[in-house]
Structures are given as C-alpha cells and as structure tokens.
C-alpha cells in the first residue's frame, strides 16, 4: 500500500476514535453530574436553557463547594441540634407558625455550624445542591411556606408540610450528608 492510501485510512480512523473519546468523556461527565446533583441536575438544565450552560453552572458550584471549609459536627453538637429540633417539633402543637420560623432558623444555624455560608438563600441552595441535591426541593418548599407564613398566608397543613420539608434537610445535615438515619425524635 502506498503512503497516501495508508494516510487515507489512518486519518479518518484517528478522527473517529477521537470523536468517540470526546463523546465518552462528555457522557461520563454528564452521568457524574446527574448522580451527584440528582433532581437538581434537571432543574438546572431547565433553568439554564441548555445542558452545556447547566453543566458549566454545576461545575462552578462544585468548585465553590470544594473551597468551603465544611466540617463534621462533634457528637455533643449533633446531640444539641437534635434536642433543639425536638423542641421545635413540640412547639408546633401550640404555635405552628413560630415553629416553622424556628425550624428555618435552626436549619440555617446547622448549616452555619457545618461551614456553609448562610447570608443569601439562593447561594445557600447553590452550595447545598452539591451534596444535598436530593433534598433540596424540600428546602425550597419549606422556605416558600415560611415566606407565606411570614405574611400569615399559610394554612396549618402547609405549615405541617414545611416542618416535614425542613426535617428532611435537617436530618441530612445532622448526619453530615450521609444517610445514616433520622435524628432522634
């Protein structure tokens, strides 16, 4: 075979192999982001308008998250937060709106204790999405009901739902993001 014939065969094969490698890399990255962010992946794609923009946003979230100085709780801190949660739950019986506001403050305090910045709700959601993407919808729903409650527009059933939603994130944060079961009730 001549050199020209060999090049005519080799170059297309190399190009095809390179395209396959790129496609596999993109697919692997997409799968990793889906696995890590859970439902937050699709929500971000929908909000961003394109997969590429969403995946860039999620990668930026990971980078920021990696720069945070997150820390596990000591046993005594974990016990203190669990006791405080029990108190908030007991408060719900007589003062449901106050209990929901207290649940919000307690979740925020727990986030702060773990090392998450807590100044801005939208940034909280972005930071939490990296390790807690599967419970993030709970936090959003609870926050929305808490806002309604602040305007005295939430029903008792919505307030009860907010407590359940806050509890989902609370349990995950209390267990340092590992699914080791709910906090003592």
């Amino acid at each position: 075979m001549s050199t020209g014939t060999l090049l005519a065969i080799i170059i297309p094969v190399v190009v095809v192999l390179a395209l396959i490698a790129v496609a596999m890399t993109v697919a692997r990255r997409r799968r990793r982001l889906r696995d890590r962010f859970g439902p937050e992946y699709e929500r971000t794609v929908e909000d961003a308008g394109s997969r590429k923009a969403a995946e860039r946003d999620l990668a930026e979230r990971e980078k920021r998250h990696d720069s945070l100085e997150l820390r596990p709780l000591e046993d005594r801190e974990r016990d203190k937060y669990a006791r405080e949660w029990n108190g908030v739950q007991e408060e719900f019986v007589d003062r449901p709106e106050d209990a929901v506001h207290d649940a919000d403050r307690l979740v925020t305090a727990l986030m702060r204790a773990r090392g998450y910045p807590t100044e801005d709700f939208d940034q909280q959601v972005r930071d939490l999405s990296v390790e807690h993407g599967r419970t993030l919808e709970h936090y959003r729903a609870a926050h929305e009901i808490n806002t309604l409650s602040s305007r005295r527009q939430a029903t008792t059933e919505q307030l009860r739902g907010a407590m359940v939603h806050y509890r989902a994130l609370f349990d995950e944060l209390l267990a340092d993001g590992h699914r080791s079961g709910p906090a003592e009730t």
Side-chain angles (χ1 to χ4, degrees):
M1 268 193 231
S2 71
T3 305
T5 305
L6 282 175
L7 287 175
I9 294 171
I10 292 173
I11 290 174
V13 168
V14 169
V15 168
V16 167
L17 290 176
L19 290 173
I20 290 171
V22 167
M24 289 176 59
T25 301
V26 168
R28 222 180 354 263
R29 179 177 184 233
R30 183 167 290 154
R31 186 173 35 255
R32 184 187 65 75
L33 288 170
R34 271 193 177 129
D35 289 347
R36 182 155 199 190
F37 286 91
E40 186 67 11
Y41 177 88
E42 291 303 329
R43 181 186 180 97
T44 305
V45 168
E46 188 176 307
D47 290 347
S50 78
R51 278 197 196 288
K52 187 175 182 179
E55 289 174 357
R56 187 174 34 252
D57 178 37
L58 294 172
E60 288 170 10
R61 292 182 196 190
E62 285 180 318
K63 187 175 181 179
R64 176 181 159 84
H65 185 271
D66 290 346
S67 73
L68 298 176
E69 293 183 26
L70 301 180
R71 68 175 190 83
L73 296 175
E74 296 177 11
D75 289 342
R76 65 177 174 70
E77 287 177 297
R78 189 175 289 107
D79 293 343
K80 177 186 96 102
Y81 281 108
R83 281 191 309 277
E84 287 182 39
W85 181 262
N86 288 338
V88 169
Q89 284 184 300
E90 290 170 8
E91 177 185 22
F92 185 82
V93 174
D94 295 322
R95 296 183 318 278
E97 285 183 340
D98 292 340
V100 168
H101 298 313
D102 289 344
D104 181 70
R105 282 191 289 274
L106 184 57
V107 167
T108 301
L110 179 53
M111 288 172 24
R112 190 177 309 110
R114 291 281 321 280
Y116 286 99
T118 58
E119 296 77 35
D120 175 58
F121 176 76
D122 291 332
Q123 189 60 55
Q124 287 175 359
V125 168
R126 292 175 60 76
D127 291 339
L128 288 169
S129 70
V130 177
E131 287 187 5
H132 305 284
R134 295 193 187 334
T135 55
L136 208 49
E137 281 307 308
H138 287 287
Y139 188 46
R140 282 188 179 102
H143 181 75
E144 185 176 316
I145 295 166
N146 188 37
T147 301
L148 284 174
S149 176
S150 295
R151 296 187 303 240
R152 303 271 189 231
Q153 295 175 341
T155 66
T156 303
E157 186 59 26
Q158 287 173 314
L159 295 170
R160 187 196 65 73
M163 292 296 291
V164 171
H165 292 309
Y166 277 126
R167 178 68 185 255
L169 180 59
F170 180 85
D171 284 346
E172 241 187 57
L173 288 168
L174 197 65
D176 296 333
H178 303 293
R179 298 210 183 273
S180 61
E184 297 279 324
T185 57

